């Protein structure tokens, strides 16, 4: 037999080809091309010596399902098509199915057959009156992503099924010579800039100079000579410095000195927004809590840690994965979710993962203007990201419990993909507090999980730049949730047996960052890159050090535990290798075999970065005041608002995520009589034998940032907290995670308004400080992504400054949790919180093409008092339903409460507590913060009112059984009379793909 | 004399419902409940011979990369247990022969179908004659479904149950037999244990979303001829307490979730009849 064979698998006649039908639907919906039929064929290309009998055994055995499928060897199974598109991976791209297939072959033929490799591809046989041009569009615009996949189009008229498609394998062939370059930094400023640019180092001139000066130091030269190195920097060292000093890893803007000028010309100097506003707030809150402080580890590890109870700690982190998701939405988002999984997993001694969250920002999926060059259509990004998170979350067995989607066309160049993961760990593990880690000199450096490849090289520096024509394609990885699941299964056992002392993940910057950061715990390391297992030969030392190939953790294993650790790894099917030793030498030493390739002072590596000095100037923008009359048909207006992309149902996405695995689900993302109402927050029980639970919620409202990012951030915090309160949370124990996604705020000729964007950042941080301290909700971790700009061919598309605030709270008894759906006719409807004429940045103004100026302002003291009292009412069981008022205001909240319960309502707007609101539409659609719609059993009215005394709380109507939402306006006349079914339909329709 | 009930919950290589499955076994009164990684069986550290109740929980064995549970089935069929000259499948078949109970949920059901453990016609447990494939929608979905339970089935897990309401969470749950004869025999032998049904759990339905995947004859779960081997796509271990129910905040429900009853039946059978 030849060494390369193809096995094709197709559905038997009469068996429905659901993947093919889905593809047909996507072709119609995404591209507007009508095709008659799409059928699929799965292709396995097998490299290695196998006999004809073995091939048949493989095809008939693990590769096909005899009930529904048929197979062919080295012939084509596709029939009756106009065009056949075959899509396969490019060399070196992670092929998860190929890996599983090769493993299955080894089970079948024997473990010694390690030479057999399997590569997968898929054929789409398209039948119908489709031109070649359309076939090209289908292939490049939907089926294949040119960055990671290649495709071939075959004309049906020339098809010879006996020959099929000639087998080829996307093997990585690279030259094998080991090379370590030395770079001369004793050059002009211009040349220093060029070195940074051409190597994707993303280092500024000042930073390049700091590196140059370090290497010019006589003491350094002497030490290097002793280690066998020349005075010149090696490529390994330069790359390691660039990763460690990247915006992504060091948060240079958040740590910069900023001269801030306010609108009155007042000047302030801020020494690190991170230290003053974010860490400063948490520090103050912890001091106030004193002995009751429930924070366990904040900002210093991969994720934040708080106490759940005396016996357990909770861990939470939210990350972004924006740039990769712009290039490869599926791979980028998949890597985003499995990547953030490793943060809580690599925190302290390591935690078991219990929930995921996801928040996406996209441009309009129905966008019909010309796309900027290289940008993917928003619908394709939406679908790719959705599917990536689906596969990452579902296959990892972690429920996706909470999220949201924001639409704004300024996310056309770069979508935002926020992925969060929570974990739980015993408060003490083997007698040590679980949130701590230590490393002793002599501990072994061990890498466990996947292998190292060229994937993800320069991820950290690439995401620290704008997206441009030359953005490196190697920055994209594809995650593998099953390899990761096997690894986490293994490491949790190793953790409980005390086989390792410290653990961290390999994410941005790869081994360079993980081992470099771990080495600070003991004061040095001696790492041997030649021992790293590679996906394919030919990687240079700097590439091995930087590779962001996924599913890898780095560990510190005491020498006495090495045998036990390695034996357990092998048994559980996980690859683990000894890469060297942690030291107290004060040096970051990297070698390749005997040869030292990097030798840097730990202090320089971690503290040698010069501080950035920036300026910011705040000029409040002034937008046109809207001028449109109150519409006569407010019912129609309500329906239009419900159908807005930012308000409508996201059920299409939610249903495709497993939100119940692990068995702890209490409040699901979809609630109500028909399981389709919009839940405000997730509630779950991490321990199945206890009723103690957690609440997870988020707030995000970039539109308000068009007016003032201070209030935008205040509203995001309030929204997150309010959602958690609505479901039954309380301010007693609630922690926050801040995620800032900005457009480049560093002023230059390219970015003339940098000082305004930076002022927006300053204001956002000030709000974060003010409101987190006021609510007593400390940030325990966070992340910033500062270069969310897309620049191609002179076009710059910048995202609107965006803050996501995520909260994790404790609920003492989940049986007291509340959902947002109206429960029964006769219940009384209350509105809590005051309505003001605050429609700036609202969905109602946006619907009319306006931004306005009166942005919602959070009255924090009032809100806090209300939240405390409401939590009390909920814990007493006095609240039948509670729904947060956010986008679309009171009108939308009332409608959602009614239709989620399948019930009607009678509401009188004259009873709504309001300040100077004279229009019905403003009263209904103002987005004033800190408000709720609550329903209360008639029997509980008095008790509820007495608890709510001294807060802004008014009964505005009652729940009815006639299925109509009836609203009386300010003049006493009915202004809305809408069947709730129709309102629900309007709300469900826009994204019902 | 009361027999001690020993339950094993198999995990590893992508299984992910092991915790709640083990919890269900405990709630049902099983005396021993061990979560065992497949590698522990393959290395001979544990043996199925020491258990009476084998749970194959949900998840994504090997990512379902070759089709749901295909690679997982391939491992069980071909992998050899270290130090014993037997394949893992032989241990499984011995377990069946000894009269043990097997419950396969979701990925576990897919595994049982692809191994041929179900439907196990004529006591042959190695021939695949049914499958679970892509949902008609082409999508993974998480949704709760109503199930009508066959009152004449030999299945020991569903004794005394008429209806159930449980979540499905799968992309490949569409039940298909190899041919009409298989389907006819499944019905004739009352091996169709439960079907997706209308809201009253009375009538099997083919319409979406009540039948969430397009299963032929709305089949949601089948058993073998003895009733001791049972596979189903819906997740009973996901409904162990009323707070798991999607509408627990608006309906009066007993504290214990209906999913526990399947495990109680299994434990009772082992205690009294095995």
């Amino acid at each position: 037999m030849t060494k390369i064979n193809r096995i094709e698998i197709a559905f038997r006649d009469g068996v429905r080809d659901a993947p093919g039908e889905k593809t047909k639907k996507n072709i119609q919906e995404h591209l507007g091309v009508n095709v008659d039929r799409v059928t699929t064929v799965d292709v396995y290309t097998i490299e290695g010596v196998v006999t004809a009998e073995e091939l048949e055994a493989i095809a008939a055995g693990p590769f096909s399902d005899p009930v529904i499928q048929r197979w062919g060897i080295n012939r084509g199974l596709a029939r009756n098509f106009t065009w056949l598109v075959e899509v396969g991976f490019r060399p070196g791209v992670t092929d998860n199915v190929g890996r599983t297939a090769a493993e299955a072959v080894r089970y079948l033929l024997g473990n010694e057959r390690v030479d057999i490799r399997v590569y997968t591809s898929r054929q789409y046989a398209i039948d119908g009156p489709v031109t070649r041009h359309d076939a090209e569009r289908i292939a490049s615009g939907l089926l294949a992503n040119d960055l990671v996949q290649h495709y071939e189009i075959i004309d049906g008229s020339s098809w010879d099924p006996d020959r099929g498609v000639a087998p080829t394998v996307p093997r990585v062939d690279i030259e094998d010579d080991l090379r370590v370059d030395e770079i001369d930094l004793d050059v002009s400023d211009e040349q220093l800039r060029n070195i940074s640019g051409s190597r994707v180092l993303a280092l500024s001139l000042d930073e390049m100079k700091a590196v140059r000066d370090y290497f010019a130091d006589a003491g350094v030269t002497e030490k290097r000579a002793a280690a066998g190195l020349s005075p010149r920097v090696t490529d390994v060292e330069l790359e390691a410095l660039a990763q460690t000093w990247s915006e992504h890893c060091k948060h240079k803007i958040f740590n910069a000195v900023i001269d801030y000028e306010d609108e009155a010309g007042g000047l302030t100097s801020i020494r690190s927004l991170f230290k003053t506003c974010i860490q400063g707030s948490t520090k103050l809150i912890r001091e106030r809590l004193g002995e009751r402080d429930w924070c366990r580890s904040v900002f210093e590890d991969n994720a934040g840690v708080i106490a759940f109870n005396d016996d357990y700690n909770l861990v939470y982190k939210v990350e972004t994965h924006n740039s990769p998701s712009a290039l490869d939405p599926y791979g980028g988002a998949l890597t985003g979710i499995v990547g953030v999984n490793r943060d809580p997993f690599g925190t302290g001694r390591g935690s078991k993962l219990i929930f995921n969250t996801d928040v996406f920002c996209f441009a309009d999926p129905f966008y019909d203007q010309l796309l900027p060059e290289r940008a993917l259509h928003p619908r394709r990004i939406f679908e790719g990201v959705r599917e990536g998170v689906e596969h990452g979350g579902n296959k990892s067995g972690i429920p996706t419990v909470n999220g949201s989607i924001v639409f704004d066309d300024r996310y056309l160049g770069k979508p935002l993909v926020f992925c969060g993961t929570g974990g739980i760990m015993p408060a003490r593990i083997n007698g040590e507090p679980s949130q701590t880690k230590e490393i002793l000199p002599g501990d072994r450096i061990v890498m466990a999980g996947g292998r190292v490849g060229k994937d993800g090289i320069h991820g950290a520096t690439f995401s620290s730049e704008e997206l441009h024509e030359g953005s490196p394609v190697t920055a994209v990885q594809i995650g593998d949730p099953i390899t990761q699941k096997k690894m986490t299964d293994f490491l949790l056992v190793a953790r409980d047996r005390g086989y390792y002392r410290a653990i961290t993940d390999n994410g941005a910057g790869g081994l360079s960052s993980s081992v470099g950061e771990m080495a600070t715990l003991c004061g040095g390391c001696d790492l041997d890159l030649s021992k790293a297992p590679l996906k394919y030969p030919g990687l240079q030392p700097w590439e091995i050090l930087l590779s962001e190939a996924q599913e890898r953790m780095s560990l510190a294993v005491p020498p006495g535990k090495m045998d036990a650790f390695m034996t357990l790894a092998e048994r559980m099917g996980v690859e683990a290798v000894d890469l060297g030793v942690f030291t107290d030498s004060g040096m970051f030493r990297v070698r390749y075999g005997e040869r030292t390739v990097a030798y840097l002072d730990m202090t320089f590596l971690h503290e040698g970065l010069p501080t950035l000095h920036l300026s910011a100037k705040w000029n409040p923008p002034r937008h046109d005041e809207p001028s449109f009359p109150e519409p006569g048909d407010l019912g129609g207006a309500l329906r239009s608002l419900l159908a807005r992309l930012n308000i409508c149902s996201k059920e299409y996405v939610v249903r495709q995520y497993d939100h119940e695995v692990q068995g702890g689900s209490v409040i699901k993302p979809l609630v109500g009589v028909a399981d389709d109402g919009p839940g405000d927050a997730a509630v779950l029980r991490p321990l199945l034998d206890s009723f103690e639970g957690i609440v997870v919620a988020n707030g995000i409202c970039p539109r308000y940032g068009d007016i003032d990012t201070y209030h935008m951030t205040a509203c995001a915090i309030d929204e997150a907290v309010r959602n958690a309160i609505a479901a039954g949370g309380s301010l007693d124990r609630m922690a926050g995670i801040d995620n800032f996604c900005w457009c480049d705020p560093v002023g230059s000729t390219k970015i003339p308004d940098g000082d305004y964007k930076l002022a927006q950042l300053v204001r956002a941080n000030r709000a974060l400080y003010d409101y987190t301290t006021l609510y007593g909700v400390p940030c325990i971790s966070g992340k910033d992504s500062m270069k969310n700009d897309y620049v191609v061919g002179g076009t710059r598309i910048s995202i609107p400054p965006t803050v996501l605030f995520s909260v994790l709270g404790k609920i003492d008894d989940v049986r007291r949790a509340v959902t947002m759906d109206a429960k029964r006719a006769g219940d009384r409807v209350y509105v809590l919180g005051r309505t003001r004429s605050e429609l700036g940045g609202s969905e109602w103004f946006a619907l009319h093409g306006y931004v306005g100026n009166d942005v919602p302002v959070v009255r924090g003291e009032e809100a806090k008092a209300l939240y405390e009292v409401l939590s009390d009412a909920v814990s007493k069981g006095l609240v039948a339903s509670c729904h947060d008022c956010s986008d679309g205001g009171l009108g939308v909240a009332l409608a959602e409460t009614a239709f989620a319960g399948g019930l009607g309502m009678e509401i009188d707007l004259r009873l709504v507590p309001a300040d100077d609101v004279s229009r019905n539409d403003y009263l209904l659609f103002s987005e004033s913060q800190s408000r709720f719609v609550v329903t209360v059993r008639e029997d509980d009215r008095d008790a509820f009112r007495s608890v709510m005394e001294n807060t802004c709380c008014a009964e505005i109507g009652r729940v009815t059984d006639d299925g109509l939402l009836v609203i009386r306006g300010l003049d006493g006349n009915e202004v809305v009379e809408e069947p709730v079914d129709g309102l629900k339909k309007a709300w469900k329709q826009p994204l019902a793909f | 004399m009361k027999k001690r009930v020993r339950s094993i919950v198999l995990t590893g290589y992508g299984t992910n419902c092991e915790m709640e499955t083990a919890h269900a076994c405990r709630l049902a009164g099983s005396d021993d409940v061990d979560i065992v990684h497949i590698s522990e069986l393959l290395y001979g550290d544990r043996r199925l011979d020491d258990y009476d109740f084998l749970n194959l929980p949900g998840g994504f064995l090997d990512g379902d990369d070759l089709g749901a549970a295909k690679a997982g089935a391939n491992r069980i069929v071909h992998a050899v247990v270290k130090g014993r000259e037997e394949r893992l499948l032989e241990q499984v078949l011995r377990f069946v022969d000894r009269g043990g109970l097997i419950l396969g949920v979701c990925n576990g059901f897919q595994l049982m179908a692809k191994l041929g453990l179900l439907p196990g016609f004529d006591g042959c447990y190695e021939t695949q004659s049914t499958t679970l494939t892509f949902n008609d929608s082409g999508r993974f979905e998480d949704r709760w479904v109503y199930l009508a339970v066959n009152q004449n089935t030999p299945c020991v897990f569903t004794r005394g149950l008429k209806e159930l309401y449980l979540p499905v969470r799968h992309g490949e749950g569409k039940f298909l037999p190899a041919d009409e004869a298989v389907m006819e025999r499944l019905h004739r032998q009352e091996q169709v244990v439960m079907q997706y049904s209308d809201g009253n759990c009375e009538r099997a339905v083919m319409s979406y979303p009540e039948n969430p995947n397009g299963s032929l004859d709305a089949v949601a779960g089948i058993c073998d001829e003895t009733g001791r081997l049972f596979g189903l796509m819906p997740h009973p271990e996901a409904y162990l307490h009323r707070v798991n129910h999607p509408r627990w905040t608006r309906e009066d429900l007993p504290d214990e979730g209906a999913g526990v009853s399947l495990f109680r039946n299994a434990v009772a059978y082992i205690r009294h009849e095995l």
Side-chain angles (χ1 to χ4, degrees), chain A residues 65 100 571 660 819 821 993, chain B residues 45 65 131 139 142 249-250:
Chain A
D65 182 332
T100 302
R571 285 188 161 216
E660 301 182 76
T819 54
D821 46 309
F993 294 137
Chain B
D45 298 345
D65 284 341
T131 198
R139 289 176 193 168
D142 179 337
T249 60
R250 55 185 301 125

Side-chain angles (χ1 to χ4, degrees), chain B residues 63-90:
Chain B
D64 284 354
D65 284 341
L66 308 180
K70 265 305 276 190
N74 183 65
R75 180 184 294 107
I76 289 178
V77 171
H78 296 289
V80 177
V81 177
K82 288 258 180 350
R84 295 166 187 277
E85 294 313 306
E86 67 175 0
R87 293 176 302 141
L88 193 49
L89 181 66
E90 291 167 57

Side-chain angles (χ1 to χ4, degrees), chain A residues 414 466-467 743-744 787-791 796-798:
Chain A
K414 255 196 194 184
E466 66 198 19
L467 203 56
C743 36
D744 196 341
K787 308 275 167 132
N788 290 290
D789 307 86
Y790 165 96
V791 183
R796 169 177 289 269
I797 304 175
S798 297

